[in-house]
Amino acid sequence: MASPDELLALARDVAREAADLVTERRRHGVEVADTKSSPTDVVTEVDHAAEELIRKRLLEARPGDGFVGEEGAADTSASGITWVVDPIDGTVNFVYGIPQYAVSIAARRGDEVVAGVVVDVVKGECFTATRGGGAHLDGRPVQVRGVVPLAQRLVFTGFSYERDTRVAQAAAVRELLGRVRDVRRLGSAALDLCYLACGRADAYVEEGLHDWDLAAGGLILEEAGGRVGEATGAGGKRCIVAAPAGGFDEFMTAVEDCGFLAS
Ligand code: IPD
């Protein structure tokens, strides 16, 4: 049975190769190829090409593994390991040329993520973790920030591609803004979680994430001393709430009070 370190080594190599492909293809221009859950939820040919490369490399190296990709590729697992992949997390940023998008690859054994890597395509930062093995940025250990009062916390969030959900999110963010240091919407959930893991923010809340947005970044954050929780959001979808473990409960209470969650 492959160890989490072996799975991570493979995932890291493949994520870097995919990041190179994304960089190279962007030089030739980017066209929106299709839309998904709504007209604002876009996908490009590069998302498809990167997912196909990642799937090919992982399954060539480990035939029998399962695969779940944002762009629709799916294979069931015979080995017990399933790869959960977002080929470009932050596709809208990618389309506009905003340098905040990433390749995210996680290895799941059963229901538990055991290894994860997020590679920032433009900056080249490589965030990694194995379960029980800590979280790293470019090979150096990372830790969440120390807990500060709610009013001094910088919070990452994101908005759904679906109108009704994002209207509910906006109302909750308006409430939250009066209680915290500030709010940022950077456009890549995977990078938000990794940034939180290395102390670049104090909390994160977003409704509507999928497994591929969350799998690698969630493990990286937990291994850095964060806690990741979920509840049903005001729009009826899964709402992810995350913070340094010691400040989680207070942030969760604020999230509830501000109206992020279903009542
Ligand atoms: C999106 C990004 C964004 C978040 C959305 C995600 P995609 O992923 O992570 O920050 O707000 O919920 O769907 O579509 O660019 O892979």
Side-chain angles (χ1 to χ4, degrees):
M1 193 167 71
S3 70
D5 284 335
E6 288 166 333
L7 296 168
L8 179 63
L10 172 63
R12 194 172 35 214
D13 288 350
V14 173
R16 285 199 171 121
E17 188 182 349
D20 288 346
L21 175 145
V22 171
T23 302
E24 179 55 31
R25 292 283 295 265
R26 196 166 200 296
R27 289 205 189 98
H28 304 296
V30 179
E31 297 273 326
V32 171
D34 209 350
T35 59
K36 297 187 286 187
S37 59
S38 78
T40 49
D41 186 4
V42 294
V43 61
T44 71
E45 289 303 339
V46 188
D47 295 74
H48 288 299
E51 181 163 306
E52 195 41 47
L53 173 79
I54 295 167
R55 177 167 172 266
K56 186 164 179 287
R57 291 284 188 265
L58 292 174
L59 299 190
E60 268 170 9
R62 294 183 43 84
D65 284 0
F67 187 94
V68 180
E70 178 176 23
E71 308 315 334
D75 302 271
T76 47
S77 178
S79 65
I81 297 295
T82 297
W83 297 97
V84 184
V85 171
D86 192 340
I88 305 179
D89 184 67
T91 300
V92 174
N93 284 344
F94 172 68
V95 168
Y96 281 81
I98 297 169
Q100 186 77 2
Y101 47 92
V103 177
S104 173
I105 302 180
R108 209 168 54 192
R109 180 172 284 131
D111 288 338
E112 186 175 74
V113 177
V114 294
V117 57
V118 174
V119 172
D120 181 320
V121 173
V122 179
K123 296 174 214 76
E125 290 186 324
C126 179
F127 303 88
T128 54
T130 51
R131 188 160 298 277
H136 296 84
L137 164 54
D138 293 334
R140 290 183 301 279
V142 291
Q143 269 285 305
V144 292
R145 290 178 84 78
V147 178
V148 292
L150 188 66
Q152 291 169 29
R153 295 195 198 174
L154 181 65
V155 180
F156 288 144
T157 194
F159 298 109
S160 168
Y161 294 119
E162 289 167 38
R163 184 188 174 280
D164 290 352
T165 303
R166 63 164 53 177
V167 167
Q169 288 170 315
V173 167
R174 181 190 150 135
E175 281 302 311
L176 187 67
L177 270 168
R179 304 180 186 211
V180 297
R181 183 188 296 276
D182 209 342
V183 172
R184 297 281 185 274
R185 196 287 191 250
L186 302 185
S188 162
L191 286 174
D192 290 346
L193 293 162
C194 293
Y195 277 25
L196 190 50
C198 58
R200 296 176 184 170
D202 300 291
Y204 171 77
V205 56
E206 181 169 358
E207 177 174 352
L209 287 197
H210 297 281
D211 283 351
W212 44 77
D213 301 311
L214 175 67
L219 176 66
I220 292 163
L221 176 54
E222 285 176 350
E223 286 294 324
R227 181 167 155 200
V228 180
E230 64 177 81
T232 304
K237 298 184 197 66
R238 171 163 81 158
C239 182
I240 299 301
V241 180
F248 180 89
D249 289 339
E250 191 186 3
F251 184 62
M252 182 56 120
T253 301
V255 160
E256 278 181 285
D257 290 351
C258 290
F260 282 94
L261 304 182
S263 45

